[in-house]
Amino acid sequence: MSAALLLDTLLPGDEAFPPGHVVAEALAAHDRFGPALERILALLPEDFASQPPEARVTTLAAIEATHSEAFSALVLAAYSLYYTHPKVAAVLEASTGYRAGPPQPGGHALAPFDPALLAIPAVRAPLYRPTPEAET
Amino acid sequence: MKDDVVIVGAGASGAAAAWKLASAGLRVTCLEQGGWVDPADTPSLRPDWEIARQTTHHPNPNVRQGPADYPVDDSEAAIKPFLYNAVGGSTILWGAHFPRFRPSDFRVRTLDGVADDWPISYEDLAPWYEENDRIMGVAGLSGDPGNPPRGPRQMPPVPPGVAATRMARAFDRLGWHWWPCDVAINTESYGEGRGACNNCGPCDLGCPQGARSATDVSYWPMALRAGVRLITGARVFEVETDAQGRATGVAYLDAAGQVQRHRAAVVALAANGLGTARLMLLSRSKRFPEGIANDTGLVGRRLMHHPTGMVTGTFADAVEGWRGPFAVSILCQEFYETDPTRDFVRGYQMQLIRSDGPVGTAVGGYLPRVPWGPGHHARFRQVFGHTASLTVTTEDLPRDDNRVTLSATLTDANGIPAPKMTYSLDDNTRRMIEHGIARATEAFTEAGAVDITPQRLVANAGFHLLGTACMGADPGASVVDARSRAHAVPNLVILDGSVFTTAAALNPTSTIQALALRAADLLIRDRKGIEVAA
């Protein structure tokens, strides 16, 4: 319960994005990221779950101030799993045009370079300095 | 039967020299502590590719903690190490920028009265730049007024994309230089079985197309055909010497953790500016009590990076920065050369970096981390796909107190002392970065960015490890001579960026490889006259 509330406080969700608890199970089970969650859960006050949302933000801000490295590790872990979650990926694809999922093998079209772009810099005088060798 | 040459390290320089030496008929063995990385195993083929970037494929070995990695003590270093241990070395995770030094980069003492001149010139090195370009494959365009004239590249440039096109026009309006980057990325099929770039983005995770050149797919197939014996999983911990101080070979731990010895007439080190310095300092003997070839005490000193500031512009409209090779598009060298009206000597270049995927955007890097809490999603929408960044890549002048030593507290998995980087920025560099931040801000303003955010130092930018066994004509003030051979050990050659006399203000791999090819050719030429151990 506390993990879900903790993640919902970090990533509240909105009309499109889901709240952070969608990654609670994956985060707890993750071999590299799981310990980051455990460290912060151990620092939460007993009444965290009963606090109103605004108070939870204040609570986490206080923990971040006193345990910044551990808190940063949790944020890194939470963001990493959240932004690779299928529900979040679907929101990104629908709202931004970004194609979520592996960059390969699809990639993106490679347009040809247009040399006309260089019309101005191509006619500049050399701007590298001569050296004794170049002058001989 | 002992080898003609044993090379330590199979990365950018070791691969190039191994191919060259074996092609001339020399018996060559290369020892590499990592293994092969199969491009078909790249995380870019997986949905969790951005998680891999933060964990198993992080460029910092202290974060990645892979089985082939050694830790780096960076407790007193303002810039953190980025490197990779594998066949291909750090080209496995590089962005593939491939500029050449300018002629003035070899003459900083003559032209500007600082640091030291190299004992060789751009003109001396030019034939090996050409040879290396042909093998690695370079996309780019002739006619850059920022650099001496040279022949056509192997392929046309990488297309700039939305943001770089916008920035190019801004540079034009400001009257500043810009040019498409030279990059070791195929924009057409080139090389052995290497296809064209498909513009996917995260070159640092590997390239299943083989389009991004790395030495595992460029030099190594040729080197192996030429007869090089490559031993992976071999962690070299000592260059051994005879009573006269001549190198006799190396000692290493094999993949099973057993000590092995490999004898060779010539020992060549290609383990980067960190690993080579570490190995030299570890190689103590009666003749060299402070480490091999370290009579001057210079081994490990003069560590240079390219201290990097960064300015990120956010545009109101999407610029789709997730498309295209993340590190490369265009660069600006308007402020590269010394200008006496400025408050610093030497200069910098600016490179346009595309933006990141969703995880990279959220966790930060080009911009600060997106804040957690109630405003998170709104801020994420503002920046995701809307940014581009200009690096301010500065020339780092060598200082003796920026150095690599052996850590007193940290060891690798085999109990061998880890390297320690001690590194800080000097005032000249800080002033240079400030100047660059102001100019980059001006450029983004001209381009119409709605929000502009500077970073005064990118700490995670220790990818260019240079200068720790510096080249010079004076044996009392340098470690290797103009042929890359140790002054104090006639049969010890150093192939990697350790030999850089100065660092220039641009990516060094093209120069590292050209120097390695040149050192190999000179070794082939001179080998019958080189003093070796019995």
Side-chain angles (χ1 to χ4, degrees):
Chain A
M1 183 61 172
S2 288
L5 288 171
L6 167 59
L7 291 165
D8 286 354
T9 308
L10 296 176
L11 295 157
D14 62 12
E15 68 279 3
F17 283 111
H21 74 253
V22 294
V23 299
E25 285 186 23
L27 180 51
H30 197 278
D31 59 345
R32 285 221 187 201
F33 291 152
L37 176 63
E38 288 175 17
R39 278 195 291 274
I40 299 304
L41 285 175
L43 296 170
L44 293 180
E46 287 185 6
D47 67 345
F48 183 73
S50 62
Q51 291 177 355
E54 300 79 13
R56 288 189 206 125
V57 170
T58 305
T59 297
L60 293 190
I63 293 173
E64 183 175 34
T66 55
H67 298 79
S68 60
E69 195 170 326
F71 198 87
S72 288
L74 172 64
V75 174
L76 172 69
Y79 285 8
S80 295
L81 292 178
Y82 182 79
Y83 281 104
T84 49
H85 191 280
K87 287 184 178 175
V88 177
V91 173
L92 291 170
E93 290 196 330
S95 62
T96 68
Y98 173 75
R99 194 193 69 217
Q104 291 283 2
H108 303 285
L110 188 75
F113 184 87
D114 178 7
L117 275 174
L118 288 161
I120 292 175
V123 297
R124 285 191 63 166
L127 63 153
Y128 59 91
R129 276 192 296 175
T131 56
E133 291 80 7
E135 291 171 341
T136 56
Chain B
M1 187 168 61
K2 73 179 181 183
D3 278 330
D4 294 314
V5 184
V6 61
I7 298 173
V8 181
S13 62
W19 164 74
K20 170 75 76 173
L21 293 166
S23 298
L26 276 66
R27 287 189 310 277
V28 180
T29 295
C30 183
L31 302 171
E32 165 56 51
Q33 64 189 317
W36 286 91
V37 176
D38 184 350
D41 285 341
T42 169
S44 296
L45 290 158
R46 306 195 313 249
D48 66 347
W49 62 279
E50 284 202 276
I51 294 176
R53 251 184 177 166
Q54 304 297 333
T55 54
T56 56
H57 288 68
H58 197 285
N60 184 334
N62 293 337
V63 176
R64 187 174 60 237
Q65 298 182 347
D69 290 323
Y70 55 87
V72 179
D73 184 345
D74 59 7
S75 57
E76 296 182 41
I79 293 175
K80 306 304 177 190
F82 273 30
L83 56 89
Y84 205 78
N85 298 302
V87 177
S90 295
T91 64
I92 293 295
L93 52 65
W94 72 325
H97 269 287
F98 219 62
R100 294 184 185 183
F101 275 26
R102 286 185 174 192
S104 61
D105 290 323
F106 295 87
R107 293 289 175 265
V108 301
R109 167 62 68 177
T110 297
L111 294 174
D112 296 321
V114 295
D116 302 285
D117 287 347
W118 290 58
I120 61 173
S121 66
Y122 174 86
E123 289 75 11
D124 291 331
L125 200 54
W128 287 279
Y129 274 130
E130 292 290 338
E131 179 177 42
N132 191 50
D133 283 359
R134 285 195 300 274
I135 295 167
M136 293 291 282
V138 180
L141 202 61
S142 298
D144 177 8
N147 285 276
R150 50 191 260 222
R153 286 24 167 205
Q154 284 71 36
M155 291 159 278
V158 171
V162 175
T165 301
R166 192 171 295 179
M167 294 306 292
R169 288 173 180 147
F171 289 144
D172 283 345
R173 291 194 294 274
L174 291 166
W176 295 355
H177 167 268
W178 73 270
W179 204 256
C181 298
D182 281 319
V183 298
I185 294 175
N186 285 0
T187 50
E188 302 167 346
S189 294
Y190 185 85
E192 293 183 33
R194 296 178 47 217
C197 172
N198 66 356
N199 223 21
C200 82
C203 305
D204 52 314
L205 293 178
C207 182
Q209 317 296 330
R212 189 217 51 186
S213 192
T215 58
D216 61 332
V217 297
S218 58
Y219 274 103
W220 271 113
M222 299 193 308
L224 294 174
R225 276 203 306 277
V228 177
R229 182 183 176 212
L230 174 60
I231 301 175
T232 58
R235 175 163 286 173
V236 178
F237 59 88
E238 185 176 4
V239 179
E240 298 185 314
T241 52
D242 65 10
Q244 287 74 45
R246 296 171 301 204
T248 58
V250 298
Y252 67 97
L253 292 158
D254 65 17
Q258 301 299 307
V259 173
Q260 306 288 344
R261 289 190 155 73
H262 198 97
R263 290 177 59 79
V266 172
V267 173
L269 304 184
N272 79 49
L274 194 59
T276 287
R278 176 199 191 199
L279 179 55
M280 294 177 76
L281 294 170
L282 284 167
S283 302
R284 298 180 181 193
S285 62
K286 190 172 180 184
R287 166 67 184 85
F288 295 114
E290 301 304 323
I292 192 166
N294 197 19
D295 292 336
T296 57
L298 280 170
V299 171
R301 294 189 184 272
R302 296 168 63 104
L303 170 66
M304 295 174 284
H305 297 288
H306 287 121
T308 298
M310 182 174 279
V311 176
T312 296
T314 303
F315 295 95
D317 57 328
V319 293
E320 298 188 333
W322 58 73
R323 292 178 190 265
F326 77 101
V328 298
S329 54
I330 65 171
L331 56 77
C332 169
Q333 293 188 341
E334 184 68 24
F335 309 102
Y336 194 88
E337 302 280 3
T338 294
D339 180 338
T341 67
R342 300 181 196 134
D343 63 352
F344 56 86
V345 68
R346 305 298 297 159
Y348 60 89
Q349 72 169 4
M350 296 187 282
Q351 297 170 331
L352 194 80
I353 307 292
R354 301 171 204 253
S355 59
D356 233 329
V359 172
T361 300
V363 303
Y366 304 142
L367 282 173
R369 189 179 73 198
V370 176
W372 58 270
H376 176 86
H377 301 293
R379 176 62 179 163
F380 180 86
R381 284 189 176 92
Q382 282 175 354
V383 295
F384 176 61
H386 287 240
T387 68
S389 303
L390 280 169
T391 67
V392 178
T393 305
T394 63
E395 176 160 355
D396 196 8
L397 295 173
R399 285 165 36 205
D400 282 357
D401 54 342
N402 282 338
R403 62 187 300 201
V404 174
T405 54
L406 299 178
S407 176
T409 57
L410 196 61
T411 60
D412 66 18
N414 299 110
I416 304 167
K420 177 178 181 177
M421 294 200 310
T422 302
Y423 182 85
S424 62
L425 275 64
D426 64 16
D427 289 341
N428 187 68
T429 302
R430 291 185 190 284
R431 288 193 290 268
M432 208 183 308
I433 289 175
E434 286 304 317
H435 189 275
I437 285 174
R439 298 290 78 72
T441 300
E442 191 177 348
F444 274 117
T445 302
E446 180 64 35
V450 295
D451 185 54
I452 300 171
T453 306
Q455 281 188 63
R456 292 198 145 63
L457 179 67
V458 181
N460 291 314
F463 22 64
H464 304 153
L465 302 156
L466 307 170
T468 53
C470 67
M471 178 185 284
D474 179 358
S478 54
V479 178
V480 301
D481 63 18
R483 302 164 300 180
S484 302
R485 291 178 215 158
H487 291 296
V489 183
N491 62 337
L492 178 65
V493 182
I494 301 180
L495 298 169
D496 56 52
S498 305
V499 303
F500 277 34
T501 310
T502 54
L506 40 73
N507 312 64
T509 304
S510 168
T511 302
I512 289 171
Q513 291 183 300
L515 285 165
L517 291 172
R518 179 175 180 273
D521 265 334
L522 297 179
L523 191 62
I524 294 163
R525 182 194 72 185
D526 299 342
R527 68 183 188 274
K528 290 187 170 46
I530 293 174
E531 183 186 348
V532 302

